[in-house]
Amino acid sequence: RVTMGVMLATGLSAASMTAALAQDVTLRGASMFDENHAFTKTMRKFEELVGEYYTGDVEFDLRLNGELGVESDYVNFLQQGVAIDYTIMAPSNMAKFAPAIPLMDMPFLFRDLDHWNTVLSSDAFGPLEAELEKNADIKIIGYTGGGVRNLVSSGPIASLDDLAGHKMRVMGAPIQAKTFAALTAAPSAIAYNEVYNAIQSGVIAGFENEAASIQNLKFYEVAPYITLTKHTITVRPIVMSGKTFRKLPEDLQAAVLKAGKEAGAFGRELESREDGLKLQEMLDAGQIKVQEFDGRETLLEMVKPVQDEFAAEIGATDLLATIRGM
Ligand code: MAV
């Protein structure tokens, strides 16, 4: 770290001293949740690790509880380089800037947790990251996630018959709506912070989500039925605005990349381990009713053509084949 003393001794001007001092950086992050959610814990880990790896001064200002909105807002902020510098985000919430990115969190992409782990520890998603950087100027610095998404609804859904015409909220990527439409449900894209009210007022009968978030935002109060379709194991990039990243001193950039990668690994282990426990906690507390879905294998067959069509549309047929073959 360059100190004033060093600068004086080496004859640096007052102007460059001011410039060096002004490099003290504050990075603002956003979470839709409180301190107990795996995403918030992962961002706290990221902050801690950056602090460890960077010798300069860097501060973090993480805004919790959706103070700065939801992911569909965050993606605009990051793209414009305003309001926030980093967050954790569902690929499907970045679709409007990068049409290929929702392949990462497409339902039924992963067979199981092993497959998910294998894909995430490879560089298979490289081309999708490149598209995001080019189109949205958003940089993926790590991957967290590991929650299993299930149907969450105000009434029971036991089988395909109950799913027919089921009014449910999906994330704003076209592939999400197409997938659930292929399963005969009636999906609509609604902002995450409107879901609770939409269910409560009967506009929709449910949505789909993972245990950590159902618990943190108390969705069970309006939608206590969890149907174990286990259709998605979440992939959640830790992202930074390219506009922020480029402004950072080089050694801080290096610290951010290293910390992002490691915080991601921390978050994946945490959320995948806690997923079943959180379901059990809600069950024990009498907050949810959990049931199996009769005919999960059929769902897989129904969505495969939709996946193939989407991959062809975004020029990712080979990539999808590679991921399926891993
Ligand atoms: C969960 O809270 C998370 O997976 C988050 O990343 C998503 O944006 C959200 O669900 C959602 O369904 O929009």
Side-chain angles (χ1 to χ4, degrees):
R1 178 132 198 270
V2 183
T3 63
M4 289 258 251
V6 171
M7 287 193 282
L8 289 172
T10 53
L12 284 176
S13 69
S16 57
M17 272 192 278
T18 316
L21 291 172
Q23 275 181 9
D24 288 357
V25 185
T26 299
L27 297 173
R28 186 180 300 140
S31 173
M32 306 194 292
F33 311 101
D34 65 22
E35 295 284 359
N36 295 318
H37 192 281
F39 287 11
T40 309
K41 288 183 178 168
T42 300
M43 285 188 270
R44 292 295 186 208
K45 188 67 174 180
F46 168 69
E47 297 169 3
E48 178 194 317
L49 291 173
V50 172
E52 230 171 80
Y53 299 145
Y54 180 57
T55 46
D57 282 330
V58 55
E59 306 222 329
F60 293 93
D61 173 18
L62 180 59
R63 303 296 177 89
L64 305 180
N65 301 310
E67 181 195 328
L68 298 177
V70 287
E71 292 176 11
S72 46
D73 305 306
Y74 303 163
V75 72
N76 295 334
F77 295 153
L78 292 173
Q79 190 263 344
Q80 293 165 33
V82 300
I84 64 169
D85 301 297
Y86 66 99
T87 190
I88 291 172
M89 174 103 96
S92 280
N93 286 324
M94 301 193 270
K96 65 178 155 193
F97 295 115
I101 201 91
L103 186 85
M104 286 185 185
D105 65 337
M106 181 166 85
F108 297 103
L109 179 62
F110 304 111
R111 287 184 302 277
D112 50 32
L113 211 56
D114 277 347
H115 185 210
W116 170 85
N117 259 316
T118 306
V119 176
L120 280 181
S121 6
S122 77
D123 55 9
F125 287 152
L128 304 177
E129 294 176 11
E131 188 209 39
L132 185 69
E133 268 201 67
K134 185 165 161 278
N135 289 3
D137 199 9
I138 293 175
K139 200 172 172 59
I140 295 182
I141 59 171
Y143 286 96
T144 186
V148 176
R149 282 170 84 101
N150 290 302
L151 295 177
V152 187
S153 51
S154 52
I157 300 170
S159 66
L160 257 174
D161 286 347
D162 296 334
L163 201 53
H166 172 63
K167 284 193 194 153
M168 62 179 287
R169 174 268 183 181
V170 291
M171 289 188 282
I175 182 64
Q176 294 285 339
K178 281 185 189 155
T179 301
F180 290 97
L183 301 179
T184 74
S188 54
I190 295 177
Y192 196 55
N193 47 0
E194 286 166 17
V195 171
Y196 186 105
N197 283 339
I199 297 174
Q200 194 171 40
S201 65
V203 170
I204 49 173
F207 71 128
E208 45 95 43
N209 232 247
E210 62 271 37
S213 303
I214 298 168
Q215 185 183 56
N216 207 269
L217 297 178
K218 300 188 167 68
F219 282 113
Y220 51 76
E221 291 174 351
V222 292
Y225 289 90
I226 313 273
T227 308
L228 300 178
T229 42
K230 301 175 195 161
H231 52 270
T232 306
I233 305 177
T234 62
V235 168
R236 292 294 178 264
I238 309 175
V239 286
M240 181 170 273
S241 171
K243 293 176 181 67
T244 301
F245 188 80
R246 284 189 298 274
K247 275 188 225 146
L248 303 179
E250 249 171 58
D251 48 348
L252 180 51
Q253 288 182 345
V256 160
L257 294 178
K258 186 164 150 63
K261 196 165 178 215
E262 292 176 15
F266 164 89
R268 295 201 298 276
E269 191 283 323
L270 177 72
E271 190 172 351
S272 59
R273 177 166 45 80
E274 283 187 346
D275 191 67
L277 299 174
K278 292 200 169 294
L279 269 189
Q280 193 61 47
E281 277 171 22
M282 290 186 279
L283 197 59
D284 292 346
Q287 293 160 335
I288 57 171
K289 302 174 181 67
V290 178
Q291 55 185 14
E292 294 293 332
F293 182 83
D294 193 16
R296 183 178 181 278
E297 289 309 307
T298 319
L299 301 184
L300 239 158
E301 286 160 32
M302 292 166 88
V303 302
K304 193 163 175 290
V306 179
Q307 296 186 333
D308 293 343
E309 196 190 314
F310 173 58
E313 204 180 284
I314 59 170
T317 301
D318 291 348
L319 175 59
L320 181 55
T322 304
I323 292 172
R324 283 178 179 155
M326 287 175 93

